Amino acid sequence: MVIRARRFEVSDAGVVSSLIARTLRESNSKDYSKEYIEENVHHLSAKFFIEKSKQTHFYVFCDSDQIVGTGAIGAYWGSETEFSLFDIFVSPDYQGQGIGRLIIETLEADTYFKRAQRVEIPASITGLAFYRHMGYHFKNGNKKIDNERLYRLEKFPKRVSGNAMI
Protein backbone atom coordinates (compact mmCIF):
# COMPACT_ATOMS: atom_id res chain seq x y z
CA MET A 1 0.00 0.00 0.00
CA VAL A 2 1.35 3.38 -1.06
CA ILE A 3 -0.51 6.37 0.34
CA ARG A 4 -0.18 9.56 -1.68
CA ALA A 5 -0.86 13.04 -0.26
CA ARG A 6 -2.30 15.79 -2.43
CA ARG A 7 -4.15 19.04 -1.96
CA PHE A 8 -7.92 18.93 -1.61
CA GLU A 9 -9.94 19.63 -4.75
CA VAL A 10 -13.56 20.84 -4.80
CA SER A 11 -14.59 17.53 -6.37
CA ASP A 12 -13.33 15.76 -3.18
CA ALA A 13 -15.82 17.51 -0.90
CA GLY A 14 -18.57 14.87 -0.88
CA VAL A 15 -16.15 12.00 -0.32
CA VAL A 16 -14.35 13.91 2.45
CA SER A 17 -17.64 14.73 4.18
CA SER A 18 -18.72 11.07 4.04
CA LEU A 19 -15.35 9.75 5.21
CA ILE A 20 -15.30 12.08 8.21
CA ALA A 21 -18.92 11.29 9.12
CA ARG A 22 -18.20 7.56 9.00
CA THR A 23 -15.01 7.95 11.03
CA LEU A 24 -16.75 10.00 13.70
CA ARG A 25 -19.60 7.49 13.93
CA GLU A 26 -17.37 4.43 14.10
CA SER A 27 -14.14 5.53 15.76
CA ASN A 28 -15.33 8.25 18.12
CA SER A 29 -18.50 6.54 19.36
CA LYS A 30 -16.69 5.03 22.34
CA ASP A 31 -15.82 8.53 23.63
CA TYR A 32 -18.79 10.65 22.53
CA SER A 33 -22.55 10.35 22.57
CA LYS A 34 -24.51 9.69 19.39
CA GLU A 35 -26.13 13.14 19.76
CA TYR A 36 -22.76 14.89 20.00
CA ILE A 37 -21.43 13.04 16.94
CA GLU A 38 -24.53 13.69 14.85
CA GLU A 39 -24.46 17.39 15.74
CA ASN A 40 -20.88 17.53 14.43
CA VAL A 41 -21.67 15.46 11.33
CA HIS A 42 -24.54 17.84 10.51
CA HIS A 43 -22.07 20.77 10.24
CA LEU A 44 -19.42 18.89 8.27
CA SER A 45 -21.08 19.05 4.87
CA ALA A 46 -19.39 19.08 1.47
CA LYS A 47 -19.98 22.86 1.36
CA PHE A 48 -18.24 23.23 4.74
CA PHE A 49 -15.10 21.54 3.39
CA ILE A 50 -15.08 23.59 0.20
CA GLU A 51 -15.11 26.75 2.32
CA LYS A 52 -12.52 25.30 4.73
CA SER A 53 -10.18 24.57 1.80
CA LYS A 54 -10.24 28.27 0.84
CA GLN A 55 -8.92 29.21 4.30
CA THR A 56 -6.42 26.40 4.90
CA HIS A 57 -3.95 24.15 3.20
CA PHE A 58 -6.22 21.12 3.07
CA TYR A 59 -4.82 17.71 2.12
CA VAL A 60 -6.33 14.38 1.23
CA PHE A 61 -4.49 11.06 1.49
CA CYS A 62 -5.21 8.45 -1.15
CA ASP A 63 -4.73 4.74 -1.63
CA SER A 64 -4.80 4.63 -5.44
CA ASP A 65 -7.76 6.92 -6.17
CA GLN A 66 -9.60 6.29 -2.88
CA ILE A 67 -9.44 9.04 -0.25
CA VAL A 68 -8.57 7.37 3.06
CA GLY A 69 -7.50 10.34 5.19
CA THR A 70 -7.65 14.12 5.56
CA GLY A 71 -5.85 16.93 7.34
CA ALA A 72 -5.55 20.70 7.15
CA ILE A 73 -3.47 23.53 8.55
CA GLY A 74 -4.58 27.15 8.72
CA ALA A 75 -4.09 30.40 10.55
CA TYR A 76 -5.05 30.53 14.22
CA TRP A 77 -7.67 33.29 14.29
CA GLY A 78 -5.94 35.21 11.48
CA SER A 79 -2.47 35.09 13.03
CA GLU A 80 0.65 35.21 10.84
CA THR A 81 2.74 33.24 13.36
CA GLU A 82 0.25 30.84 14.96
CA PHE A 83 -1.56 28.08 13.12
CA SER A 84 -3.97 25.24 13.85
CA LEU A 85 -4.32 21.71 12.58
CA PHE A 86 -7.83 20.69 11.56
CA ASP A 87 -9.88 17.78 10.28
CA ILE A 88 -7.35 15.02 10.83
CA PHE A 89 -9.21 11.81 10.06
CA VAL A 90 -8.30 8.34 8.84
CA SER A 91 -10.89 5.94 7.47
CA PRO A 92 -11.69 3.19 9.98
CA ASP A 93 -10.54 0.65 7.37
CA TYR A 94 -7.05 2.20 7.35
CA GLN A 95 -6.47 3.07 11.00
CA GLY A 96 -3.38 1.66 12.68
CA GLN A 97 -1.35 1.58 9.46
CA GLY A 98 0.71 4.77 9.88
CA ILE A 99 -1.56 7.09 7.90
CA GLY A 100 -2.17 9.36 10.90
CA ARG A 101 1.57 9.80 11.26
CA LEU A 102 1.83 10.56 7.52
CA ILE A 103 -0.89 13.19 7.87
CA ILE A 104 0.92 14.91 10.76
CA GLU A 105 4.27 14.71 8.93
CA THR A 106 2.68 16.23 5.82
CA LEU A 107 1.10 19.07 7.81
CA GLU A 108 4.37 19.67 9.65
CA ALA A 109 6.18 19.94 6.28
CA ASP A 110 3.70 22.58 5.07
CA THR A 111 4.86 26.18 4.65
CA TYR A 112 2.43 27.35 7.35
CA PHE A 113 3.93 25.00 9.91
CA LYS A 114 7.48 25.96 8.91
CA ARG A 115 6.85 29.62 9.69
CA ALA A 116 4.80 28.97 12.83
CA GLN A 117 5.95 29.94 16.28
CA ARG A 118 3.06 27.93 17.73
CA VAL A 119 0.67 25.32 16.34
CA GLU A 120 -2.53 24.33 18.14
CA ILE A 121 -4.71 21.31 17.63
CA PRO A 122 -8.20 20.79 18.99
CA ALA A 123 -7.92 17.11 19.93
CA SER A 124 -10.78 14.72 20.45
CA ILE A 125 -10.80 12.36 23.40
CA THR A 126 -10.33 9.59 20.83
CA GLY A 127 -7.23 11.18 19.27
CA LEU A 128 -5.57 12.54 22.41
CA ALA A 129 -3.01 9.76 22.92
CA PHE A 130 -2.00 9.85 19.25
CA TYR A 131 -1.40 13.62 19.23
CA ARG A 132 0.52 13.43 22.50
CA HIS A 133 2.67 10.69 20.93
CA MET A 134 3.30 13.05 17.98
CA GLY A 135 4.78 15.66 20.33
CA TYR A 136 1.82 17.91 21.09
CA HIS A 137 1.39 19.09 24.68
CA PHE A 138 -1.55 20.40 26.67
CA LYS A 139 -2.01 24.12 26.02
CA ASN A 140 -0.97 26.04 29.12
CA GLY A 141 -0.76 22.70 30.94
CA ASN A 142 -4.58 22.42 30.92
CA LYS A 143 -5.46 18.71 30.84
CA LYS A 144 -9.24 19.23 30.88
CA ILE A 145 -11.63 19.08 27.95
CA ASP A 146 -13.22 22.38 26.96
CA ASN A 147 -16.85 23.27 26.30
CA GLU A 148 -16.55 21.71 22.81
CA ARG A 149 -15.47 18.43 24.49
CA LEU A 150 -11.98 18.77 23.01
CA TYR A 151 -8.50 19.07 24.44
CA ARG A 152 -6.37 22.00 23.30
CA LEU A 153 -2.86 20.85 22.47
CA GLU A 154 0.07 22.80 21.09
CA LYS A 155 3.58 22.53 19.72
CA PHE A 156 6.23 25.22 19.36
CA PRO A 157 8.11 24.51 16.10
CA LYS A 158 10.23 27.66 16.35
CA ARG A 159 11.59 28.88 19.63
CA VAL A 160 12.69 32.52 19.51
CA SER A 161 15.33 33.91 21.87
CA GLY A 162 16.02 37.58 21.30
CA ASN A 163 16.50 37.98 17.53
CA ALA A 164 17.97 34.53 16.94
CA MET A 165 16.13 31.34 16.20
CA ILE A 166 17.21 28.44 18.40
Side-chain angles (χ1 to χ4, degrees):
M1 172 179 68
V2 176
I3 302 299
R4 181 178 55 90
R6 66 170 172 79
R7 291 290 287 270
F8 172 94
E9 298 170 1
V10 170
S11 60
D12 298 328
V15 173
V16 165
S17 178
S18 294
L19 176 134
I20 291 174
R22 177 179 173 222
T23 304
L24 284 168
R25 288 176 177 136
E26 292 182 26
S27 300
N28 294 59
S29 62
K30 69 181 189 296
D31 297 313
Y32 293 95
S33 70
K34 182 177 181 180
E35 294 77 22
Y36 176 89
I37 289 171
E38 292 307 317
E39 182 179 316
N40 279 281
V41 166
H42 175 73
H43 296 291
L44 300 175
S45 66
K47 183 178 178 181
F48 172 86
F49 290 108
I50 291 169
E51 292 304 311
K52 185 77 155 255
S53 72
K54 294 175 185 176
Q55 303 164 12
T56 64
H57 292 174
F58 199 114
Y59 295 87
V60 295
F61 297 81
C62 304
D63 181 9
S64 296
D65 291 333
Q66 180 184 359
I67 296 173
V68 299
T70 66
I73 185 169
Y76 179 79
W77 296 104
S79 175
E80 293 290 321
T81 60
E82 295 183 314
F83 295 86
S84 290
L85 302 184
F86 303 101
D87 305 310
I88 298 170
F89 290 92
V90 176
S91 167
D93 299 330
Y94 285 79
Q95 291 175 6
Q97 299 180 39
I99 297 169
R101 175 178 290 281
L102 175 63
I103 293 170
I104 296 296
E105 289 171 351
T106 300
L107 296 174
E108 289 183 352
D110 185 271
T111 56
Y112 284 163
F113 190 92
K114 289 181 178 182
R115 74 176 193 227
Q117 292 178 8
R118 186 182 78 85
V119 175
E120 183 170 308
I121 182 166
S124 68
I125 296 167
T126 311
L128 178 63
F130 169 74
Y131 297 123
R132 298 271 295 135
H133 178 74
M134 296 303 297
Y136 288 80
H137 303 283
F138 292 104
K139 182 178 179 180
N140 300 322
N142 183 357
K143 298 179 181 181
K144 296 181 182 178
I145 58 173
D146 64 14
N147 60 350
E148 294 181 61
R149 298 202 31 87
L150 300 169
Y151 291 97
R152 300 298 166 165
L153 303 178
E154 63 188 356
K155 186 183 266 191
F156 295 90
K158 293 181 179 180
R159 295 278 186 180
V160 179
S161 175
N163 292 330
M165 298 297 286
I166 55 172

Short mmCIF file of all heavy atoms in Angstrom, two decimals, residues 136-161:
data_model
loop_
_atom_site.label_atom_id
_atom_site.label_comp_id
_atom_site.label_asym_id
_atom_site.label_seq_id
_atom_site.Cartn_x
_atom_site.Cartn_y
_atom_site.Cartn_z
N TYR A 136 2.67 16.78 20.71
CA TYR A 136 1.82 17.91 21.09
C TYR A 136 1.54 17.83 22.59
O TYR A 136 1.34 16.75 23.13
CB TYR A 136 0.52 17.92 20.26
CG TYR A 136 0.82 18.32 18.83
CD1 TYR A 136 1.32 17.39 17.93
CD2 TYR A 136 0.66 19.62 18.41
CE1 TYR A 136 1.65 17.75 16.63
CE2 TYR A 136 0.98 20.00 17.11
CZ TYR A 136 1.47 19.05 16.23
OH TYR A 136 1.80 19.43 14.95
N HIS A 137 1.54 19.00 23.23
CA HIS A 137 1.39 19.09 24.68
C HIS A 137 0.14 19.88 25.03
O HIS A 137 -0.33 20.71 24.24
CB HIS A 137 2.62 19.75 25.30
CG HIS A 137 3.89 19.03 24.96
ND1 HIS A 137 4.27 17.86 25.56
CD2 HIS A 137 4.84 19.31 24.03
CE1 HIS A 137 5.41 17.45 25.04
NE2 HIS A 137 5.77 18.30 24.11
N PHE A 138 -0.38 19.67 26.22
CA PHE A 138 -1.55 20.40 26.67
C PHE A 138 -1.27 21.90 26.68
O PHE A 138 -0.26 22.34 27.23
CB PHE A 138 -1.98 19.94 28.07
CG PHE A 138 -2.51 18.53 28.10
CD1 PHE A 138 -1.73 17.50 28.60
CD2 PHE A 138 -3.77 18.25 27.62
CE1 PHE A 138 -2.20 16.20 28.62
CE2 PHE A 138 -4.26 16.95 27.64
CZ PHE A 138 -3.47 15.92 28.14
N LYS A 139 -2.15 22.67 26.07
CA LYS A 139 -2.01 24.12 26.02
C LYS A 139 -2.07 24.68 27.43
O LYS A 139 -3.01 24.38 28.17
CB LYS A 139 -3.11 24.72 25.15
CG LYS A 139 -3.03 26.22 24.99
CD LYS A 139 -4.14 26.71 24.09
CE LYS A 139 -4.10 28.21 23.94
NZ LYS A 139 -5.20 28.67 23.06
N ASN A 140 -1.07 25.44 27.79
CA ASN A 140 -0.97 26.04 29.12
C ASN A 140 -1.07 25.01 30.24
O ASN A 140 -1.51 25.32 31.34
CB ASN A 140 -2.04 27.12 29.31
CG ASN A 140 -1.91 28.25 28.31
OD1 ASN A 140 -0.80 28.66 27.97
ND2 ASN A 140 -3.03 28.74 27.81
N GLY A 141 -0.72 23.76 29.94
CA GLY A 141 -0.76 22.70 30.94
C GLY A 141 -2.17 22.25 31.31
O GLY A 141 -2.33 21.44 32.22
N ASN A 142 -3.18 22.75 30.61
CA ASN A 142 -4.58 22.42 30.92
C ASN A 142 -4.94 21.05 30.36
O ASN A 142 -5.04 20.88 29.14
CB ASN A 142 -5.51 23.50 30.36
CG ASN A 142 -6.95 23.26 30.72
OD1 ASN A 142 -7.31 22.26 31.34
ND2 ASN A 142 -7.80 24.20 30.32
N LYS A 143 -5.17 20.09 31.24
CA LYS A 143 -5.46 18.71 30.84
C LYS A 143 -6.95 18.40 30.86
O LYS A 143 -7.34 17.23 30.86
CB LYS A 143 -4.71 17.74 31.76
CG LYS A 143 -3.21 17.88 31.67
CD LYS A 143 -2.50 16.92 32.59
CE LYS A 143 -1.00 17.12 32.48
NZ LYS A 143 -0.26 16.18 33.33
N LYS A 144 -7.79 19.42 30.84
CA LYS A 144 -9.24 19.23 30.88
C LYS A 144 -9.84 19.52 29.51
O LYS A 144 -9.37 20.39 28.78
CB LYS A 144 -9.87 20.16 31.92
CG LYS A 144 -9.42 19.85 33.33
CD LYS A 144 -10.07 20.77 34.32
CE LYS A 144 -9.56 20.47 35.72
NZ LYS A 144 -10.13 21.37 36.71
N ILE A 145 -10.93 18.79 29.20
CA ILE A 145 -11.63 19.08 27.95
C ILE A 145 -12.37 20.40 28.09
O ILE A 145 -12.77 20.79 29.18
CB ILE A 145 -12.57 17.94 27.53
CG1 ILE A 145 -13.61 17.63 28.59
CG2 ILE A 145 -11.80 16.70 27.15
CD1 ILE A 145 -14.66 16.63 28.14
N ASP A 146 -12.54 21.08 26.94
CA ASP A 146 -13.22 22.38 26.96
C ASP A 146 -14.71 22.21 26.70
O ASP A 146 -15.22 21.09 26.66
CB ASP A 146 -12.55 23.34 25.98
CG ASP A 146 -12.67 22.88 24.52
OD1 ASP A 146 -13.47 21.98 24.21
OD2 ASP A 146 -11.95 23.45 23.69
N ASN A 147 -15.40 23.33 26.49
CA ASN A 147 -16.85 23.27 26.30
C ASN A 147 -17.25 22.62 24.97
O ASN A 147 -18.42 22.30 24.77
CB ASN A 147 -17.49 24.66 26.45
CG ASN A 147 -16.95 25.65 25.44
OD1 ASN A 147 -15.98 25.39 24.74
ND2 ASN A 147 -17.57 26.80 25.36
N GLU A 148 -16.29 22.43 24.05
CA GLU A 148 -16.55 21.71 22.81
C GLU A 148 -16.23 20.22 22.95
O GLU A 148 -16.29 19.50 21.97
CB GLU A 148 -15.72 22.31 21.66
CG GLU A 148 -16.10 23.72 21.30
CD GLU A 148 -15.27 24.23 20.14
OE1 GLU A 148 -15.32 23.63 19.05
OE2 GLU A 148 -14.54 25.22 20.34
N ARG A 149 -15.86 19.81 24.16
CA ARG A 149 -15.47 18.43 24.49
C ARG A 149 -14.20 18.02 23.74
O ARG A 149 -14.07 16.91 23.25
CB ARG A 149 -16.62 17.45 24.24
CG ARG A 149 -17.82 17.77 25.13
CD ARG A 149 -18.79 16.68 25.38
NE ARG A 149 -18.33 15.32 25.42
CZ ARG A 149 -17.86 14.68 26.49
NH1 ARG A 149 -17.77 15.31 27.63
NH2 ARG A 149 -17.51 13.42 26.43
N LEU A 150 -13.27 18.98 23.65
CA LEU A 150 -11.98 18.77 23.01
C LEU A 150 -10.87 19.21 23.95
O LEU A 150 -11.07 20.06 24.81
CB LEU A 150 -11.88 19.58 21.71
CG LEU A 150 -12.92 19.27 20.64
CD1 LEU A 150 -12.88 20.31 19.54
CD2 LEU A 150 -12.71 17.87 20.08
N TYR A 151 -9.71 18.62 23.75
CA TYR A 151 -8.50 19.07 24.44
C TYR A 151 -7.81 20.06 23.52
O TYR A 151 -7.84 19.91 22.30
CB TYR A 151 -7.54 17.91 24.70
CG TYR A 151 -8.04 16.92 25.71
CD1 TYR A 151 -8.68 15.76 25.31
CD2 TYR A 151 -7.87 17.15 27.07
CE1 TYR A 151 -9.14 14.83 26.24
CE2 TYR A 151 -8.32 16.23 28.01
CZ TYR A 151 -8.96 15.08 27.59
OH TYR A 151 -9.41 14.18 28.50
N ARG A 152 -7.16 21.05 24.09
CA ARG A 152 -6.37 22.00 23.30
C ARG A 152 -4.91 21.64 23.52
O ARG A 152 -4.39 21.71 24.63
CB ARG A 152 -6.65 23.44 23.71
CG ARG A 152 -8.10 23.84 23.53
CD ARG A 152 -8.54 23.79 22.09
NE ARG A 152 -9.99 23.85 21.99
CZ ARG A 152 -10.64 24.10 20.87
NH1 ARG A 152 -9.97 24.30 19.75
NH2 ARG A 152 -11.95 24.13 20.86
N LEU A 153 -4.27 21.22 22.43
CA LEU A 153 -2.86 20.85 22.47
C LEU A 153 -2.07 21.83 21.62
O LEU A 153 -2.63 22.49 20.73
CB LEU A 153 -2.66 19.43 21.95
CG LEU A 153 -3.45 18.32 22.65
CD1 LEU A 153 -3.18 16.99 21.97
CD2 LEU A 153 -3.12 18.26 24.11
N GLU A 154 -0.75 21.89 21.86
CA GLU A 154 0.07 22.80 21.09
C GLU A 154 1.50 22.27 20.96
O GLU A 154 1.93 21.40 21.71
CB GLU A 154 0.08 24.19 21.72
CG GLU A 154 0.68 24.24 23.11
CD GLU A 154 0.52 25.59 23.80
OE1 GLU A 154 0.00 26.55 23.19
OE2 GLU A 154 0.93 25.69 24.97
N LYS A 155 2.17 22.83 19.97
CA LYS A 155 3.58 22.53 19.72
C LYS A 155 4.23 23.85 19.32
O LYS A 155 3.59 24.69 18.70
CB LYS A 155 3.71 21.50 18.59
CG LYS A 155 5.13 21.00 18.35
CD LYS A 155 5.18 20.04 17.17
CE LYS A 155 5.08 18.61 17.63
NZ LYS A 155 5.39 17.64 16.53
N PHE A 156 5.49 24.01 19.68
CA PHE A 156 6.23 25.22 19.36
C PHE A 156 7.36 24.87 18.39
O PHE A 156 8.48 24.57 18.82
CB PHE A 156 6.79 25.86 20.64
CG PHE A 156 5.72 26.34 21.57
CD1 PHE A 156 5.21 25.50 22.56
CD2 PHE A 156 5.21 27.62 21.45
CE1 PHE A 156 4.21 25.94 23.41
CE2 PHE A 156 4.21 28.07 22.30
CZ PHE A 156 3.71 27.23 23.28
N PRO A 157 7.08 24.90 17.07
CA PRO A 157 8.11 24.51 16.10
C PRO A 157 9.32 25.42 16.11
O PRO A 157 10.44 24.96 15.90
CB PRO A 157 7.39 24.62 14.75
CG PRO A 157 5.95 24.66 15.06
CD PRO A 157 5.81 25.19 16.44
N LYS A 158 9.12 26.71 16.33
CA LYS A 158 10.23 27.66 16.35
C LYS A 158 10.28 28.31 17.73
O LYS A 158 9.30 28.89 18.18
CB LYS A 158 10.03 28.77 15.30
CG LYS A 158 10.08 28.29 13.88
CD LYS A 158 9.90 29.45 12.96
CE LYS A 158 9.97 29.01 11.51
NZ LYS A 158 9.80 30.14 10.60
N ARG A 159 11.39 28.19 18.36
CA ARG A 159 11.59 28.88 19.63
C ARG A 159 12.43 30.11 19.34
O ARG A 159 13.49 30.02 18.71
CB ARG A 159 12.34 27.99 20.63
CG ARG A 159 11.55 26.78 21.03
CD ARG A 159 10.58 27.14 22.10
NE ARG A 159 9.91 25.95 22.58
CZ ARG A 159 9.03 25.97 23.51
NH1 ARG A 159 8.72 27.08 24.11
NH2 ARG A 159 8.44 24.86 23.90
N VAL A 160 11.98 31.28 19.77
CA VAL A 160 12.69 32.52 19.51
C VAL A 160 13.32 33.01 20.81
O VAL A 160 12.66 33.11 21.82
CB VAL A 160 11.74 33.58 18.92
CG1 VAL A 160 12.48 34.87 18.68
CG2 VAL A 160 11.09 33.08 17.66
N SER A 161 14.61 33.33 20.75
CA SER A 161 15.33 33.91 21.87
C SER A 161 15.99 35.18 21.37
O SER A 161 16.91 35.12 20.55
CB SER A 161 16.37 32.93 22.40
OG SER A 161 17.14 33.54 23.40
#
